[in-house]
Amino acid sequence: MSYNPNPLYAAPEDWRAYSGVLSRRVLAFILDYVIVALLCIPAAIVLFFLSIVTLGLGFFLYPALFVIVAGIYFGLTVGGPSQASLGMRAMGIAIVRVDGRPMDFMTAIVHLALFWILNSILTPLILLAGLFIERSRLVHDLLVGTATVRTA
């Protein structure tokens, strides 16, 4: 994981930037959710002590802990300068916006929320869309205006 001084913002036109992206996305998904699950452990400890300080009110956040940790994780990593989470960096992919602007925190959160909503409605069938849509984009990529490209 090295720092790239010239990050890729716009989606390239070269077809090679999109070859093998779907399988890399699946592996990056698995890695990212292992990382989020591991991050939930210290977050739960911090929330426990916060709950004691707030006289038990913090305990109401436990059911949403995974969503909060995942939102912060993906918002900071995908919305950051590398435009990729740790799992995506390990797989050599990044998310770029089609309009050429850099990813920001809110766009990354909306991308994640749409992924969760569409995945709960359409189940894993959203992965099949990537086989037929140009640039191997998924449904939530189309709605947000992003594409996933290879960086290596």
Side-chain angles (χ1 to χ4, degrees):
M1 290 182 238
S2 62
Y3 174 71
N4 184 2
N6 299 317
L8 180 67
Y9 290 133
E13 295 298 324
D14 189 7
W15 65 270
R16 291 175 292 200
Y18 307 102
S19 68
V21 166
L22 285 178
S23 58
R24 291 172 184 250
R25 282 181 91 162
V26 170
L27 294 173
F29 170 83
I30 294 168
L31 282 173
D32 284 329
Y33 278 90
V34 167
I35 292 169
V36 169
L38 292 173
L39 288 174
C40 282
I41 296 168
I45 294 169
V46 169
L47 186 56
F48 174 77
F49 290 112
L50 180 71
S51 299
I52 292 172
V53 171
T54 60
L55 302 175
L57 290 177
F59 286 118
F60 289 110
L61 291 177
Y62 272 110
L65 184 64
F66 184 83
V67 174
I68 294 168
V69 170
I72 292 171
Y73 171 76
F74 284 105
L76 292 176
T77 56
V78 174
S82 66
Q83 298 188 162
S85 62
L86 297 177
M88 295 171 85
R89 287 185 215 169
M91 292 295 115
I93 57 176
I95 295 181
V96 295
R97 290 177 60 164
V98 177
D99 60 7
R101 294 185 299 177
M103 288 286 287
D104 58 346
F105 185 84
M106 190 52 68
T107 306
I109 296 294
V110 170
H111 189 269
L112 177 67
L114 282 175
F115 170 73
W116 283 342
I117 292 167
L118 291 173
N119 200 23
S120 66
I121 295 170
L122 301 174
T123 65
L125 293 176
I126 62 169
L127 290 176
L128 292 177
L131 298 173
F132 303 106
I133 299 175
E134 64 170 340
R135 299 179 181 172
S136 298
R137 294 168 70 188
L138 302 180
V139 178
H140 60 287
D141 292 330
L142 292 172
L143 294 173
V144 178
T146 60
T148 303
V149 296
R150 293 177 69 162
T151 57

Coordinates of all heavy atoms in Angstrom, one line a residue, residues 35-74:
I35 N -12.2 -6.7 8.2 CA -11.6 -5.5 8.8 C -12.7 -4.8 9.7 O -12.4 -4.4 10.8 CB -11.0 -4.6 7.8 CG1 -9.7 -5.3 7.2 CG2 -10.6 -3.3 8.4 CD1 -9.2 -4.6 6.0
V36 N -13.9 -4.6 9.1 CA -14.9 -3.9 9.9 C -15.3 -4.7 11.1 O -15.5 -4.1 12.2 CB -16.1 -3.6 8.9 CG1 -17.3 -3.1 9.7 CG2 -15.8 -2.6 7.9
A37 N -15.4 -6.0 11.0 CA -15.7 -6.8 12.1 C -14.7 -6.7 13.2 O -15.0 -6.6 14.4 CB -15.9 -8.3 11.7
L38 N -13.4 -6.7 12.8 CA -12.3 -6.5 13.8 C -12.3 -5.1 14.4 O -12.0 -4.9 15.6 CB -11.0 -6.8 13.1 CG -10.7 -8.2 12.7 CD1 -9.4 -8.4 12.0 CD2 -10.7 -9.1 14.0
L39 N -12.7 -4.1 13.6 CA -12.8 -2.7 14.2 C -14.0 -2.6 15.1 O -14.0 -1.7 16.0 CB -12.9 -1.7 13.0 CG -11.7 -1.5 12.2 CD1 -12.0 -0.5 11.0 CD2 -10.6 -0.9 13.1
C40 N -15.0 -3.5 15.0 CA -16.1 -3.4 15.9 C -15.7 -3.8 17.4 O -16.4 -3.3 18.3 CB -17.2 -4.3 15.4 SG -18.2 -3.6 14.1
I41 N -14.7 -4.5 17.5 CA -14.2 -5.0 18.9 C -13.8 -3.8 19.7 O -14.3 -3.5 20.8 CB -13.2 -6.1 18.8 CG1 -13.8 -7.3 18.1 CG2 -12.6 -6.4 20.2 CD1 -12.8 -8.4 17.8
P42 N -12.8 -3.0 19.2 CA -12.4 -1.8 20.0 C -13.6 -0.8 20.1 O -13.7 -0.1 21.1 CB -11.2 -1.2 19.3 CG -11.2 -1.8 18.0 CD -11.9 -3.1 18.1
A43 N -14.4 -0.7 19.1 CA -15.5 0.3 19.1 C -16.5 -0.1 20.2 O -17.1 0.7 20.8 CB -16.2 0.3 17.7
A44 N -16.7 -1.4 20.3 CA -17.6 -1.9 21.4 C -17.1 -1.6 22.8 O -17.9 -1.3 23.7 CB -17.9 -3.4 21.2
I45 N -15.8 -1.7 22.9 CA -15.2 -1.4 24.2 C -15.3 0.1 24.5 O -15.7 0.5 25.7 CB -13.7 -1.9 24.3 CG1 -13.6 -3.4 24.2 CG2 -13.0 -1.4 25.5 CD1 -12.3 -3.9 23.9
V46 N -15.1 0.9 23.5 CA -15.2 2.4 23.7 C -16.7 2.7 24.0 O -17.0 3.5 24.9 CB -14.7 3.1 22.5 CG1 -15.1 4.6 22.5 CG2 -13.2 3.0 22.3
L47 N -17.6 2.1 23.3 CA -19.0 2.3 23.5 C -19.4 1.9 24.9 O -20.3 2.5 25.5 CB -19.8 1.6 22.4 CG -21.3 1.9 22.4 CD1 -21.6 3.4 22.3 CD2 -22.0 1.1 21.3
F48 N -18.8 0.8 25.4 CA -19.2 0.3 26.8 C -18.9 1.4 27.8 O -19.7 1.8 28.7 CB -18.4 -0.9 27.1 CG -18.6 -1.4 28.5 CD1 -19.8 -2.0 28.9 CD2 -17.6 -1.2 29.5 CE1 -19.9 -2.4 30.2 CE2 -17.8 -1.6 30.8 CZ -18.9 -2.2 31.2
F49 N -17.6 2.0 27.7 CA -17.3 3.0 28.6 C -18.1 4.3 28.4 O -18.4 5.0 29.4 CB -15.8 3.3 28.6 CG -15.0 2.2 29.2 CD1 -14.2 1.4 28.4 CD2 -15.0 1.9 30.5 CE1 -13.5 0.3 28.9 CE2 -14.3 0.8 31.0 CZ -13.5 0.0 30.2
L50 N -18.4 4.6 27.2 CA -19.2 5.8 26.9 C -20.6 5.5 27.5 O -21.3 6.5 28.0 CB -19.3 6.0 25.4 CG -20.2 7.1 24.9 CD1 -19.5 8.4 25.2 CD2 -20.5 7.0 23.4
S51 N -21.1 4.3 27.5 CA -22.4 4.0 28.0 C -22.4 4.2 29.5 O -23.4 4.6 30.1 CB -22.8 2.6 27.7 OG -22.9 2.4 26.3
I52 N -21.3 3.9 30.2 CA -21.2 4.1 31.6 C -21.3 5.6 31.9 O -22.0 6.1 32.8 CB -20.0 3.4 32.2 CG1 -20.1 1.9 32.1 CG2 -19.7 3.9 33.6 CD1 -18.9 1.2 32.5
V53 N -20.5 6.4 31.1 CA -20.5 7.8 31.4 C -21.8 8.5 31.1 O -22.2 9.4 31.8 CB -19.4 8.5 30.5 CG1 -19.5 10.0 30.5 CG2 -18.0 8.0 30.9
T54 N -22.6 8.0 30.1 CA -23.9 8.5 29.8 C -25.0 7.9 30.5 O -26.2 8.0 30.1 CB -24.1 8.4 28.3 OG1 -24.1 7.0 27.9 CG2 -23.1 9.2 27.5
L55 N -24.7 7.1 31.6 CA -25.7 6.5 32.4 C -26.6 5.5 31.6 O -27.8 5.4 31.9 CB -26.5 7.5 33.2 CG -25.7 8.5 34.1 CD1 -26.6 9.5 34.7 CD2 -24.9 7.7 35.1
G56 N -26.0 4.8 30.7 CA -26.7 3.7 30.0 C -27.2 4.1 28.7 O -27.7 3.2 27.9
L57 N -27.2 5.4 28.3 CA -27.8 5.8 27.0 C -27.0 5.3 25.8 O -27.5 5.0 24.8 CB -27.9 7.3 26.9 CG -29.0 7.9 27.8 CD1 -28.9 9.4 27.7 CD2 -30.3 7.4 27.5
G58 N -25.7 5.1 26.0 CA -24.8 4.6 25.0 C -25.1 3.2 24.6 O -24.8 2.7 23.5
F59 N -25.7 2.4 25.5 CA -26.1 1.0 25.2 C -27.1 0.9 24.0 O -27.1 -0.1 23.3 CB -26.6 0.3 26.4 CG -25.6 0.0 27.4 CD1 -25.6 0.5 28.7 CD2 -24.5 -0.9 27.1 CE1 -24.7 0.2 29.6 CE2 -23.5 -1.2 28.0 CZ -23.6 -0.6 29.3
F60 N -27.8 2.0 23.7 CA -28.8 1.9 22.6 C -28.1 2.0 21.3 O -28.7 1.7 20.3 CB -29.7 3.1 22.7 CG -30.7 3.0 23.9 CD1 -30.6 3.8 25.0 CD2 -31.7 2.0 23.8 CE1 -31.5 3.7 26.0 CE2 -32.6 1.9 24.9 CZ -32.5 2.7 26.0
L61 N -26.8 2.3 21.2 CA -26.0 2.3 20.0 C -25.5 0.9 19.6 O -25.0 0.7 18.5 CB -24.9 3.3 20.1 CG -25.3 4.8 20.1 CD1 -24.0 5.6 20.3 CD2 -26.0 5.2 18.9
Y62 N -25.5 0.0 20.5 CA -25.0 -1.4 20.2 C -25.6 -2.0 19.0 O -24.9 -2.6 18.2 CB -25.0 -2.3 21.4 CG -23.8 -2.2 22.2 CD1 -23.8 -1.6 23.5 CD2 -22.6 -2.6 21.8 CE1 -22.7 -1.5 24.3 CE2 -21.4 -2.5 22.6 CZ -21.5 -2.0 23.8 OH -20.4 -1.8 24.6
P63 N -27.0 -2.0 18.8 CA -27.5 -2.6 17.6 C -27.1 -2.0 16.3 O -27.0 -2.7 15.3 CB -29.0 -2.4 17.8 CG -29.2 -2.2 19.2 CD -28.0 -1.5 19.7
A64 N -26.7 -0.7 16.3 CA -26.2 0.0 15.1 C -24.7 0.1 15.0 O -24.2 0.8 14.1 CB -26.9 1.3 15.1
L65 N -24.0 -0.6 15.9 CA -22.6 -0.5 16.0 C -21.9 -0.9 14.7 O -21.0 -0.1 14.2 CB -22.0 -1.3 17.1 CG -20.5 -1.1 17.4 CD1 -20.2 0.3 17.8 CD2 -20.0 -2.1 18.4
F66 N -22.3 -2.0 14.1 CA -21.7 -2.4 12.8 C -21.9 -1.4 11.7 O -21.0 -1.1 10.9 CB -22.2 -3.8 12.4 CG -21.5 -4.3 11.2 CD1 -20.3 -5.0 11.3 CD2 -22.1 -4.2 9.9 CE1 -19.7 -5.5 10.2 CE2 -21.4 -4.7 8.8 CZ -20.2 -5.3 8.9
V67 N -23.1 -0.9 11.6 CA -23.4 0.1 10.6 C -22.6 1.4 10.8 O -22.1 2.0 9.8 CB -24.9 0.4 10.6 CG1 -25.3 1.5 9.6 CG2 -25.7 -0.8 10.2
I68 N -22.5 1.8 12.0 CA -21.7 3.0 12.3 C -20.2 2.8 12.0 O -19.6 3.7 11.3 CB -21.9 3.4 13.8 CG1 -23.3 3.9 14.0 CG2 -20.9 4.5 14.2 CD1 -23.7 4.0 15.5
V69 N -19.6 1.7 12.4 CA -18.2 1.5 12.1 C -18.0 1.3 10.6 O -17.0 1.9 10.1 CB -17.8 0.2 12.9 CG1 -16.4 -0.2 12.5 CG2 -17.8 0.5 14.4
A70 N -18.9 0.6 10.0 CA -18.7 0.4 8.5 C -18.8 1.7 7.8 O -18.1 2.0 6.8 CB -19.7 -0.6 8.0
G71 N -19.8 2.6 8.2 CA -19.9 3.9 7.6 C -18.7 4.7 7.7 O -18.3 5.4 6.8
I72 N -18.2 4.8 8.9 CA -17.0 5.6 9.2 C -15.8 5.0 8.4 O -15.0 5.8 7.8 CB -16.7 5.7 10.7 CG1 -17.8 6.5 11.4 CG2 -15.3 6.3 10.9 CD1 -17.7 6.5 12.9
Y73 N -15.7 3.7 8.4 CA -14.5 3.0 7.7 C -14.6 3.3 6.2 O -13.6 3.8 5.6 CB -14.6 1.5 8.0 CG -13.6 0.7 7.1 CD1 -12.3 0.7 7.4 CD2 -14.1 0.0 6.1 CE1 -11.4 0.0 6.7 CE2 -13.2 -0.8 5.3 CZ -11.9 -0.8 5.6 OH -11.0 -1.5 4.8
F74 N -15.7 3.1 5.6 CA -15.8 3.3 4.1 C -15.8 4.8 3.8 O -15.3 5.2 2.7 CB -17.0 2.6 3.6 CG -16.9 1.1 3.5 CD1 -17.5 0.3 4.3 CD2 -16.1 0.6 2.5 CE1 -17.3 -1.1 4.2 CE2 -15.9 -0.8 2.4 CZ -16.5 -1.6 3.3

